[in-house]
Amino acid sequence: MRFSRLFAALSALLWTCTATNDGLTTMVEWDSYSLSINGNRVYIYSGEFHYQRMPVPEMWLDIFHKFKASGFNAISVYFFWSYHSPSKGVYDFETAGKNVQRMFDYAKEAGIYIIARAGPYCNAETSAGGLALWGSDGSMGNLRTSDATYYASWQPWVAKMGAIIASNEITKGGPVIINQVENELQETSHVATNTLVIYMEQLKAAYRAAGVTVPLSHNEKGQRAQSWSTDYQNVGGAVNLYGLDSYPGGLSCTNVNSGFNLVRNYYQWFANYSYTQPNHFPEFEGGWFSPWGGQFYDTCTSEHDPGFADVYYKNNIGQRTTILNLYMAWGGTNWGHSAAPVVYTSYDYSAPLRETRQIQDKLSQSKLIGLFTRVSKDLLKTYMVGNGTGYATSSTGIWTWEIRNPDTNAAFYVTQQATSSSRASVTFTANLKTSQGTIAVPNINLNGRQSKILVTDYTFGKQTLLYSSAEVLTFGVFNKEVLVLYLQSGQVGQFALKTSGNFTHTIYGASNVTATTSSGLTTFTYTQGAGQTVVEFNGILIYLLEQKTAWRFWAPATTKNPDIKPNEQIFVLGPYLVRSASISHGVLHVSGDSDNATTIEAYTGDLSIQTIDWNGIRLDAKKTAYGSVTAQIPGAADRTISLPALENWRSADSLPEKNPAYDDSKWVVCNKTTTQSPVAPITLPVLFSSDYGFYAGPKIYRGYFDGSYTAVNITASGGLAFGWTAWLNGILVGGNTGNTTLTTTTAILALPSNSTKKTGNVLTVVVDYHGHDETSTAKGVENPRGLLGASLTGGNISSGTGFKLWKIQGNAGGNANIDAVRGPMNEGGLYGERLGWTLPSFTPDSKQFGRSSPSTGISSSGIAFYTTTFHLNIDSDLDVPLGIELTAPAGTISRVMVWINGYQYGKYVSHIGPQTRFPFPPGVVNNRGENTVALSLWAMTDAGAKLDTVKLIKYGQYQTDFTFNKDWSYLQPGWDKSRLAYA
């Protein structure tokens, strides 16, 4: 057993401390316990959200609704410089999915705070870690230091983005409460003149100059350093709110029993390095990313375990955490070429909310914690009483944290398996210290990877729960106090209420409940049955919910204020999702989503309710004996969804550039002999794609030479698992099909003598692109892409490489960003991309396009392009998450991209994987109307390639009143003849 006497003593000294602020606003303050907003302590339960990974702004609100309904009162948001600045000095904060003001407005509409994270460096498994890709030519200077060139690069970004953040602060009626400076920047030297200290001071000054007045924060990269805290060796650069990032799961997709080892020193860490500030996790594991060649998210059951949320997030509560952000809460999609090389198209992240915007069990369990922290205000001022194996329990198989409020003496005993990975079922007695003495509470069970928070002297409304071994989900104050408890089916719960005088109680439901009274205390003991049981007792209503029933309990707020009070809620049971609820003229209006037809039950405290309006459907409300109302709501399971087959494909060659007669007179000549890149070119001229204004997407090179050579030595770079292919005068000579561990590959390719001419030879090289590196990889964004060097061998080379000319082609328009709606990372340099064959309203020319399909494919190496249209007619009151499935015959070596209405929403590498299913959201697809789908098929060997599956799929179907059917034309600009200039 371990009792933290030193830390308890330190906490006791801080009980009387007053709130601290940054000297610029008192609307957001803090002390060693929690954040205070407008003078009220608030538990910040936040979810990470990246708007870049959802290009349809209207879907942001859908996601925010689901966050808010699931107990989150905040989101943490990265603002990626790369998304908004296609070229130096050019910024776009208004077009389509880059309209960040809409994101702020939707957050306010949903009633959630925002923690802003504008870097300039973000990481986030996004290309270049979010740094502007125009800096990939080396012009940005010495990254993430006080270097003057780097300062001149990022300062305009922070000035512009900072001003937008400032205008949306809580001080101006907006949702922003915290602004993070940089990201996981480790303070390697606590010396005032260190370049990192100066850099942090520059950034702080820049955000303040932009008008930001809310507290500044930073996130420590695990327990690896002690960085930027005012409480530890502050020589400059320190922020107002120190935070610690932690990803402790250690879970395995292939071994469900590995990992799951809790970290139990967080409390000591914060006590050592940020003792005047709240315990704060700017990033805590909500899932984990999957790499190229790894296991796809949907099949990784260990990451989807709701037990992870139950045990790990409660473990943080037991260590006095009051600011918790889950990374990711919704991961989204690395559409286009926005991914860093460490990830593929999907950024599902095994997050609680699926990439398809679907609620998963992990989110349902996370909700139980969010609704508990929302109303449990005594949690916001606690000190550590003790902790350890066997602490306050009868079993050494149990670890307990005891934290207690010094003002109210309310206590929270967080219990968990002593060996946190254990799957054993352990039953024990807890010795709980209450205002009426220590009480031994028996028959408490932890069923494997489960945690329980036992409370004592817990106030709800005007009532007091002396203790409870059943977990508090939430409580509300209506015409009476309503308390909601939950347990797993078959588990025993015991709770006691302070009473006076005679009492009566009535039980409704299947659970076996007994009650005894003695000395002003009424004790209830019960075994949790299936579904719900309700206890009516002395003007109090108590819901006893089986855990999975609790997953469908909702507490929609009646206020837009993220700090929701117990009397600002309506309780609803049954539906898949409840977005909002309100009462007017005897009608309860409920907005939500339903998967299956079910009973909806609501407790409002308003006895006049006669009707439930579910998504605009008026239903007669039936009153229960205990004061709630019920009705039957429709589902969507029996609704017919007809997805068309993808047929009538048109096809064309998308690599005419391998033909030596191809006209490349408009291409960019590679003529640079020097570069700003910190990486030296292997040969000259410089062939780095960024030096010629081509950043994202595949690049195509054409190298000219005369004479007979026997081989060519090529080095190419495109990020992990990228590949490249070379053709001499139209004949395949080889390349590299991709390696999940290599960002750069080299090959010496033999040049067949029968393919070489005396003059006018053309070597065509297509180099794929899997993103620019984050700074954790060598020089980060400045690691060059494309060809790093090329030289001929086996001939008469007097000097140089043997090549007399190189040309390069990338995305249409280069850094001119000619498609501002879809943005600078959507397209690459393939012929079909450049000519806009992916775009709506493009009509294939009968002279150029045949009628082959991807299932026929191509019989030799090359790149083919396929396009067709399909029509959807999904009912307007349905949400049907859609996607496309691609598979290829075993042994196929190919690279495929797929576009929906011009958005590149899938990159399938058949021989590497793992992704074969690619979801796309409403707005990218028209739920009611015509859609264009295009597909590129790159066969990397002369065996050719084809696909054996190309079909539309649905992930689920939900009846809803959220508007998924709109005129999405503003997001789907079509083809025009200007694209012909890029042939």
Side-chain angles (χ1 to χ4, degrees), residues 39-40 159 170 266 305 319 381 394 467 472 498 544 558 569 633 638 657 662 666 675 740 842 858 863 916 923 960:
N40 298 314
I170 193 170
Y266 292 138
D305 181 6
Q319 298 187 66
K381 185 178 181 181
S394 62
Y467 68 86
V472 175
K498 295 180 180 180
L544 308 178
T558 58
Q569 307 171 99
I633 62 171
D638 59 348
E657 300 94 340
Y662 171 82
K666 295 180 181 179
T675 179
T740 59
F842 170 71
I858 52 179
I863 302 175
T916 61
T960 183

Side-chain angles (χ1 to χ4, degrees), residues 666 977-983:
K666 295 180 181 179
K977 63 182 181 181
S978 65
R979 285 289 188 149
L980 297 176
Y982 300 102

Side-chain angles (χ1 to χ4, degrees), residues 413-490:
Y413 293 79
V414 181
T415 60
Q416 57 198 216
Q417 300 272 6
T419 302
S420 55
S421 60
S422 172
R423 296 186 183 276
S425 178
V426 180
T427 300
F428 59 95
T429 296
N431 300 307
L432 305 181
K433 295 180 180 178
T434 76
S435 57
Q436 296 190 13
T438 299
I439 298 176
V441 182
N443 298 317
I444 302 170
N445 175 258
L446 292 185
N447 184 20
R449 295 178 175 181
Q450 182 185 15
S451 175
K452 288 182 180 177
I453 301 178
L454 319 179
V455 299
T456 68
D457 294 289
Y458 183 89
T459 300
F460 61 104
K462 296 180 180 179
Q463 310 297 328
T464 300
L465 195 59
L466 183 67
Y467 68 86
S468 178
S469 65
E471 288 202 82
V472 175
L473 196 166
T474 188
F475 70 87
V477 177
F478 302 95
N479 59 336
K480 61 179 68 174
E481 288 90 354
V482 180
L483 178 67
V484 186
L485 306 176
Y486 70 97
L487 288 171
Q488 290 184 10
S489 181

Side-chain angles (χ1 to χ4, degrees), residues 727-750:
W727 292 264
L728 174 63
N729 298 325
I731 305 300
L732 177 70
V733 293
N736 188 288
T737 60
N739 187 307
T740 59
T741 64
L742 298 177
T743 63
T744 300
T745 59
T746 299
I748 299 175
L749 308 178

Side-chain angles (χ1 to χ4, degrees), residues 808-871:
I808 183 174
Q809 183 63 278
N811 61 299
N815 61 13
N817 195 29
I818 64 171
D819 185 352
V821 170
R822 298 178 184 88
M825 292 180 283
N826 185 55
E827 292 185 9
L830 299 187
Y831 187 80
E833 290 184 277
R834 304 197 311 267
L835 269 67
W837 294 351
T838 67
L839 299 174
S841 72
F842 170 71
T843 302
D845 185 296
S846 59
K847 295 180 181 179
Q848 189 174 17
F849 280 78
R851 292 193 176 275
S852 178
S853 74
S855 62
T856 302
I858 52 179
S859 58
S860 61
S861 62
I863 302 175
F865 223 87
Y866 304 88
T867 182
T868 190
T869 60
F870 63 92
H871 192 277

